[in-house]
Amino acid sequence: MAQIIATDLVVGYQTPLTPPLDFCIDKGEYWVIIGQNGSGKTTTLKTLLGLIKPYGGSLTMGGGLDKTKLGYLPQQTEVQRDFPASVYEVVLSGCLSKMGLRPFYNKTERQLARDNISKLGLSDLAKRPYRELSGGQQQRVLLARALCATDSLLVLDEPVAGLDPATTDEMYRLVKGLNQEGVTIVMISHDVDQALADCTHVLKLGKETFVGTVEQYEESRTKEEADHESV
Amino acid sequence: MNPFEQLSVYFQFPFVRYALIVGVLIALCSSLLGVTLVLKRFSFIGDGLSHVAFGAMAVAAVAGLTNQMIVVLPVTVLAAVLLLQSGSKAKLKGDAAVAMISVSALAIGYLLMNLFPTSSNVAADVCTTLFGSTSILTLSSWEVWLSVGLSVLVVAIFVLFYNKIFAVTFDETYAKATGTKTDLYNLLIAVVIAVVIVLAMNLVGSLLISALIIFPALSAMRIFKNFLAVTVFSAAVSVLAAGVGILLSILFSTPVGPSVVGIDLVVFGICWAIGAITGRRKKA
Ligand SMILES: Nc1ncnc2c1ncn2[C@@H]1O[C@H](COP(=O)(O)OP(=O)(O)OP(=O)(O)O)[C@@H](O)[C@H]1O
Ligand SMILES: [Mg+2]
């Protein structure tokens, strides 16, 4: 079932950053977006999320997906340095999109927040102010928030940036586990080898773009290398 | 007569009781919104709106309206909506637009009051509108009910939308990406701020409104580091300061607005000291 369908999608700000892209993200797939710095990965994600308008082409959500069913881990959060919020409060706010018009969180949602906090090894920090955590700890808090929100699609912008090796492995395991539970994953990563090991589809941005399954991508890569050698 | 006997005499007058009730409610509303205002860096909008409210008040006074709220409230709400739009969309920078509107409103208001004086003492009129010297003690019963009604409404909205306000304040981009109608909540916040400002004009006058809204939030943020505690503490501080300030101003016949804000300032000083001491102890 197609959750996101891009037709001739061009992303960009004042100028286009990508050629027209056609792809279709189906439920349960694991997409990885790769490309060098500034190639438009974050811009593509933000376009998928509806935070910026497509430069050209169109983008539709289908298969029962709407924005309230997705979780999002941004690359950077513009949280003020002095914002008073505890780790628990931040994680719980991930449940907001489930709430609809109901004014308060229910028991299940509060439990979900606590579960995700312990899943990411944050239990000892739950009452600590968010702003007093280290960068990597903050990243984990925001990931726990995204996990609270997601039912069907999880969007991650460089989730392992700034994490230590142990947490990085744990992070990949977690995402893979979610994917096996049926959650669609769209993730930006610089760690190409690790990402290719888990994913099903690749979107490569930059000078040469690529859209397709991971097998096709591997194939095109070996072909390219062979071409290089023959030259 | 000791101060308590003196107060109990004063409390036999209904206008004193009304002043205390309305004053405390206004303080509660403004402190609740204050936290969001400070964190969203919206303080400048609050300041701008208070000047617009002053201008509208002047127009209403010149027009000879006895019921000034009818003009002041919609004008201020409209200004809040416009400022928010201009801040987010137009080329004109948000803060420049606010400065322009607020200074113009102030100038036009003062000009009108001088051109068409409604009483022999213009300076006193202006002073009242700017510093709210006695307006809280001269509320008509209609104004009392309106103030009480609006205050209850503001508190109810804040409580019902508390979690949404937190999410939109903490990380607007995330909230928007996951389907929260952030524009709608920003609008709601702006409208409620406008209502609070119009209410607060009665208590402290338009120049001191910002202080009433911002001081309790800043005090709470010195000591507490989670959103709920900051909200509850700033509400408590604000209510306390308003209560004590109004009582002191009745006892010593000082102007109400500056007395309340003065107490807020003292509390801020204390909180700042507590924050500094506990902060240093943690580091040691
Ligand atoms: N708000 C913006 N307005 C205009 N241009 C922007 C904006 N944000 C980013 N850009 C430009 O768009 C290009 C792509 O940025 P983007 O953030 O999508 O890169 P990225 O692929 O995510 O890079 P990185 O690996 O460093 O995260 C960059 O050249 C950047 O300068
Ligand atoms: Mg990026």
Side-chain angles (χ1 to χ4, degrees):
Chain A
M1 217 182 351
Q3 287 184 320
I4 294 180
I5 303 164
T7 323
D8 289 332
L9 177 71
V10 181
V11 305
Y13 293 91
Q14 286 78 29
T15 52
L17 287 166
T18 62
L21 300 168
D22 276 286
F23 56 86
C24 174
I25 300 179
D26 279 346
K27 184 157 177 41
E29 290 178 348
Y30 187 147
W31 282 71
V32 169
I33 305 180
I34 53 179
Q36 68 274 42
N37 292 139
S39 56
K41 302 182 297 296
T42 300
T43 313
T44 306
L45 270 201
K46 286 190 174 163
T47 312
L48 294 182
L49 291 166
L51 291 172
I52 49 183
K53 291 207 181 76
Y55 185 86
S58 74
L59 193 68
T60 45
M61 280 193 181
L65 182 74
D66 67 74
K67 283 176 148 197
T68 62
K69 295 206 176 81
L70 54 86
Y72 169 44
L73 177 72
Q75 183 172 22
Q76 280 162 346
T77 352
E78 299 134 31
V79 176
Q80 279 131 30
R81 288 190 50 249
D82 52 352
F83 199 105
S86 68
V87 167
Y88 176 69
E89 284 178 315
V90 174
V91 175
L92 188 61
S93 76
C95 296
L96 190 82
S97 47
K98 293 203 162 88
M99 219 157 61
L101 287 175
R102 182 159 37 88
F104 306 109
Y105 297 110
N106 62 26
K107 259 211 192 100
T108 335
E109 286 156 355
R110 286 196 296 266
Q111 187 58 43
L112 182 67
R114 277 192 294 269
D115 289 347
N116 284 322
I117 285 175
S118 60
K119 216 183 220 175
L120 287 168
L122 293 163
S123 302
D124 295 340
L125 304 175
K127 291 211 174 81
R128 288 273 301 277
Y130 172 82
R131 66 180 199 235
E132 288 178 6
L133 302 183
S134 75
Q137 290 169 332
Q138 291 185 346
Q139 182 84 346
R140 280 193 272 162
V141 173
L142 297 184
L143 185 64
R145 175 181 69 172
L147 292 183
C148 283
T150 183
D151 276 329
S152 49
L153 180 72
L154 182 59
V155 177
L156 306 160
D157 196 341
E158 300 195 22
V160 297
L163 297 187
D164 57 40
T167 321
T168 302
D169 288 346
E170 175 57 31
M171 180 54 231
Y172 281 123
R173 243 203 321 277
L174 211 89
V175 173
K176 198 173 171 187
L178 281 166
N179 183 239
Q180 278 157 357
E181 285 166 29
V183 176
T184 316
I185 310 285
V186 179
M187 175 167 90
I188 294 180
S189 180
H190 283 295
D191 188 354
V192 179
D193 295 325
Q194 175 69 52
L196 291 184
D198 289 344
C199 74
T200 62
H201 289 75
V202 177
L203 170 58
K204 182 171 184 291
L205 300 174
K207 281 199 286 296
E208 288 161 35
T209 54
F210 174 90
V211 194
T213 64
V214 65
E215 292 81 16
Q216 290 167 341
Y217 180 71
E218 302 274 17
E219 215 169 89
S220 75
R221 234 182 13 167
T222 38
K223 214 198 241 155
E224 214 169 272
E225 273 164 26
D227 287 350
H228 265 285
E229 272 160 29
S230 67
V231 167
Chain B
M1 233 179 358
N2 72 36
F4 286 104
E5 284 169 33
Q6 211 176 332
L7 274 181
S8 65
V9 171
Y10 281 126
F11 268 97
Q12 276 154 16
F13 298 103
F15 70 89
V16 174
R17 294 200 297 268
Y18 288 156
L20 196 66
I21 294 170
V22 172
V24 164
L25 278 174
I26 291 172
L28 178 63
C29 293
S30 51
S31 65
L32 289 179
L33 259 292
V35 180
T36 306
L37 212 67
V38 170
L39 291 172
K40 261 186 155 310
R41 301 288 186 267
F42 268 2
S43 317
F44 66 96
I45 290 190
D47 207 42
L49 286 181
S50 61
H51 293 168
V52 171
F54 169 80
M57 189 85 108
V59 172
V62 167
L65 290 177
T66 44
N67 199 340
Q68 302 183 342
M69 283 252 225
I70 278 183
V71 174
V72 181
L73 195 61
V75 168
T76 314
V77 169
L78 190 71
V81 173
L82 288 178
L83 283 182
L84 200 77
Q85 299 288 320
S86 78
S88 58
K89 292 213 183 77
K91 304 263 182 312
L92 204 62
K93 279 274 283 182
D95 46 354
V98 175
M100 250 172 59
I101 295 181
S102 73
V103 177
S104 319
L106 204 60
I108 292 172
Y110 187 57
L111 201 63
L112 282 177
M113 283 174 116
N114 275 281
L115 284 179
F116 310 99
T118 43
S119 71
S120 54
N121 194 345
V122 175
D125 280 353
V126 172
C127 199
T128 304
T129 345
L130 287 180
F131 293 102
S133 17
T134 54
S135 6
I136 192 91
L137 293 170
T138 56
L139 294 177
S140 67
S141 72
W142 190 84
E143 283 171 318
V144 170
W145 284 115
L146 187 68
S147 303
V148 170
L150 286 175
S151 306
V152 171
L153 190 70
V154 168
V155 174
I157 288 179
F158 185 84
V159 171
L160 288 178
F161 289 98
Y162 169 82
N163 289 309
K164 276 140 188 146
I165 291 176
F166 171 80
V168 172
T169 315
F170 179 71
D171 190 347
E172 190 171 328
T173 316
Y174 175 86
K176 195 170 176 188
T178 53
T180 303
K181 297 193 177 57
T182 50
D183 293 344
L184 193 71
Y185 291 116
N186 277 331
L187 190 68
L188 182 76
I189 292 171
V191 169
V192 172
I193 288 171
V195 172
V196 168
I197 281 171
V198 173
L199 287 176
M201 277 197 64
N202 288 320
L203 181 59
V204 293
S206 67
L207 273 191
L208 297 178
I209 286 176
S210 292
L212 189 73
I213 294 180
I214 288 167
F215 272 142
L218 290 181
S219 303
M221 282 165 62
R222 283 276 134 200
I223 304 184
F224 293 99
K225 290 176 177 174
N226 71 68
F227 198 72
L228 185 64
V230 166
T231 306
V232 171
F233 185 77
S234 74
V237 160
S238 187
V239 163
L240 190 81
V244 173
I246 293 173
L247 293 182
L248 286 182
S249 72
I250 292 171
L251 280 180
F252 301 104
S253 3
T254 50
V256 181
S259 310
V260 173
V261 172
I263 306 268
D264 272 326
L265 189 60
V266 170
V267 172
F268 175 75
I270 296 171
C271 291
W272 183 85
I274 294 176
I277 292 167
T278 54
R280 194 168 306 153
R281 193 177 296 157
K282 238 184 232 166
K283 272 185 203 129

